[in-house]
Amino acid sequence: MTRREFLKLASLSAGALGLTALDLSRLEEALANVDGPNVIWLQGASCTGCSVSFLNRIATSAPTSAADVLINLINLRYHPQLMAVAGQSAAEQARAAYDSGNFILAVEGGVPTAFGGHACSAWTYNGQDVTLLEAVKSLAPRAKAVLSIGTCASFGGIAAAPPNSAAIKSVSAATGVQTINIAGCPVHPDWIVWAIAQLLAGKTITRDSYGRPTALYGRTVHDQCPRRSTDETERLGVEGRCLKELGCRGPETRCSCPSTLFNGRVNWCIGANAPCTGCTEPSFSGTSAFYEHVGGGGGGIDDD
């Protein structure tokens, strides 16, 4: 797909991406610029599930796949799993983007801060290991925008669950830089694409008190749930019934899962008769909705 084809399809799906005619014009200018924003994608303490989710993007409107995004929408300068080069050559790509001063920083996973940050390395440069903590502290203040991809990067998530021996923190807490938190475990690929489209179009992303875009996280799952008006069930496997009595966290969880669905808009947690686990919330630490936490620390959100 050429950039012209992308713009044509983007214009057809402008409503889904939240773009006006002026935004499309700005997006066209951004895509026409060969020196447009670079993206440095770092991976910290995580399962890499958000990258996997992103690579599984299937859509009927542009960009239709992760390949469309990577080839036609952004200049991905660094991603440890998607790069053809490795070692020093890969690190030099990130350094070149940093030197340009024109880049978006995307971070997947939490940031270990204990042991001088040496629980997680970003890369090796000139023979010296560079910790993720060092990398994000250096890159974040200079970036045009910082995207925290997934709940681990946004709030700590599963990676920061007790006992959190590596003192894992969110990207914002580790760097002191305000981030755009695209929460989810894993994050929905459409939400990543939406955020990138807004940034390239020069739009200001309105965020809630937790740094999440209100366009994506403005309403609770329960408010949008097609089962909201149905009777509550007290056992699993009952089709079409509200799962609140089974520990569903939809009433306090904010995201657009009921409308975006997953896997090419095939299904979602509640549609598969599984209670919402609240994975987009700061308190999420991977604890099942069926179990009550006893003693010790709380969820994955940073304490400081």
Side-chain angles (χ1 to χ4, degrees):
M1 176 185 290
T2 66
R3 294 188 174 206
R4 182 177 297 277
E5 290 170 332
F6 169 80
L7 285 167
K8 180 179 179 180
L9 287 175
S11 65
L12 295 176
S13 58
L17 291 176
L19 300 177
T20 64
L22 177 60
D23 297 330
L24 285 170
S25 175
R26 291 174 177 171
L27 183 58
E28 183 173 8
E29 292 177 5
L31 291 174
N33 181 10
V34 295
D35 296 320
N38 301 290
V39 174
I40 301 174
W41 185 308
L42 302 181
Q43 288 185 325
S46 70
C47 66
T48 318
C50 290
S51 283
V52 173
S53 178
F54 171 63
L55 292 172
N56 282 333
R57 173 178 166 82
I58 302 172
T60 57
S61 59
T64 58
S65 66
D68 276 351
V69 178
L70 300 177
I71 295 172
N72 302 304
L73 189 56
I74 63 174
N75 299 319
L76 185 65
R77 297 298 294 270
Y78 184 89
H79 188 299
Q81 272 76 51
L82 301 181
M83 298 184 71
V85 297
Q88 179 74 16
S89 297
E92 287 174 350
Q93 289 294 312
R95 181 58 185 263
Y98 171 84
D99 289 341
S100 74
N102 184 27
F103 69 94
I104 295 169
L105 176 63
V107 184
E108 174 184 0
V111 182
T113 61
F115 322 113
H118 287 285
C120 182
S121 293
W123 52 62
T124 300
Y125 190 77
N126 289 337
Q128 297 294 318
D129 287 339
V130 178
T131 69
L132 178 71
L133 179 61
E134 292 175 309
V136 295
K137 280 189 171 182
S138 173
L139 293 166
R142 190 177 175 88
K144 297 292 185 182
V146 181
L147 296 175
S148 289
I149 306 295
T151 299
C152 291
S154 298
F155 309 123
I158 293 177
N164 195 11
S165 302
I168 292 168
K169 296 184 177 182
S170 67
V171 178
S172 179
T175 63
V177 174
Q178 189 177 42
T179 58
I180 301 170
N181 295 330
I182 312 298
C185 190
V187 67
H188 196 293
D190 288 3
W191 303 343
I192 300 174
V193 173
W194 179 91
I196 292 173
Q198 306 304 303
L199 292 174
L200 290 181
K203 297 196 71 174
T204 298
I205 297 178
T206 303
R207 286 165 278 184
D208 64 16
S209 59
Y210 294 117
R212 300 171 300 190
T214 55
L216 301 177
Y217 303 90
R219 300 176 63 194
T220 68
V221 169
H222 187 68
D223 284 343
Q224 308 166 72
C225 185
R227 301 187 183 194
R228 179 180 178 183
S229 60
T230 64
D231 293 334
E232 296 175 3
T233 180
E234 296 182 354
R235 60 187 179 88
L236 292 171
V238 179
E239 291 287 344
R241 299 277 290 277
C242 178
L243 302 172
K244 185 177 180 180
E245 286 296 313
L246 293 176
C248 181
R249 293 177 178 168
E252 66 261 21
T253 300
R254 293 181 175 273
C255 65
S256 58
C257 289
S259 58
T260 55
L261 308 180
F262 274 80
N263 299 321
R265 299 184 182 274
V266 172
N267 209 343
W268 64 304
C269 296
I270 293 177
N273 285 323
C276 171
T277 60
C279 75
T280 62
E281 292 301 305
S283 60
F284 178 75
S285 62
T287 303
S288 171
F290 297 104
Y291 295 94
E292 180 180 353
H293 180 75
V294 178
I301 191 171
D302 300 297
D303 293 325
D304 56 353

